[in-house]
Amino acid sequence: MTSDPKGRIQPGFVRHAFVCGHERQEGATRPSCLPKGSLDLMRELKKAVKEAGLREVRVQKSGCLDHCEQGPTCVIYPEGTWYSLKDAQAMDAVIHHLKTGTVDPTKTLVMD
Ligand code: FES
């Protein structure tokens, strides 16, 4: 049996946030999240999670999440809740979600 350096006895996280870090070439027909600062926002989320001591929460970069027009895009599992990290209120809602598991539906990504 392999020992885990963090002392875990089974795989997985209570909550898992993916932030799109995809970048398309100039002139692409769809926008991408990286030029909108998605990785800086991801680092902010990681810092908030670390400062809150949320060891069961993982924040990480993903590839394109296919909601590019609404980016920077973030999705949190297991709830499967989607966010557009377009302003400070959205970031606050994501941090609150990661800390409490509570979703404010007025702050989630809504398709037009
Ligand atoms: S480039 Fe970010 S969702 Fe597609």
Side-chain angles (χ1 to χ4, degrees):
M1 185 163 137
T2 307
S3 68
D4 183 90
K6 294 183 178 178
R8 295 170 291 201
I9 56 171
Q10 60 184 22
F13 301 97
V14 168
R15 198 151 283 109
H16 206 156
F18 295 94
V19 178
C20 173
H22 187 61
E23 180 176 34
R24 291 194 166 85
Q25 291 185 346
E26 205 172 306
T29 55
R30 295 185 79 184
S32 50
C33 295
L34 183 69
K36 298 176 188 173
S38 63
L39 293 187
D40 289 336
L41 296 167
M42 181 196 69
R43 288 183 200 100
E44 258 186 69
L45 293 175
K46 281 180 173 275
K47 187 173 174 221
V49 164
K50 187 171 184 179
E51 286 174 358
L54 303 174
R55 297 179 55 146
E56 300 295 322
V57 172
R58 177 86 168 171
V59 177
Q60 65 184 88
K61 177 174 78 172
S62 76
C64 175
L65 295 167
D66 202 23
H67 286 289
C68 320
E69 288 72 15
Q70 290 80 28
T73 306
C74 171
V75 60
I76 299 176
Y77 293 107
E79 292 85 5
T81 306
W82 290 78
Y83 293 91
S84 172
L85 305 177
K86 59 185 184 305
D87 55 32
Q89 289 77 23
M91 285 291 284
D92 289 346
V94 169
I95 291 167
H96 183 75
H97 183 164
L98 293 174
K99 285 180 178 177
T100 67
T102 305
V103 176
D104 178 349
T106 67
K107 302 287 191 287
T108 60
L109 194 156
V110 177
M111 303 299 288
D112 297 328

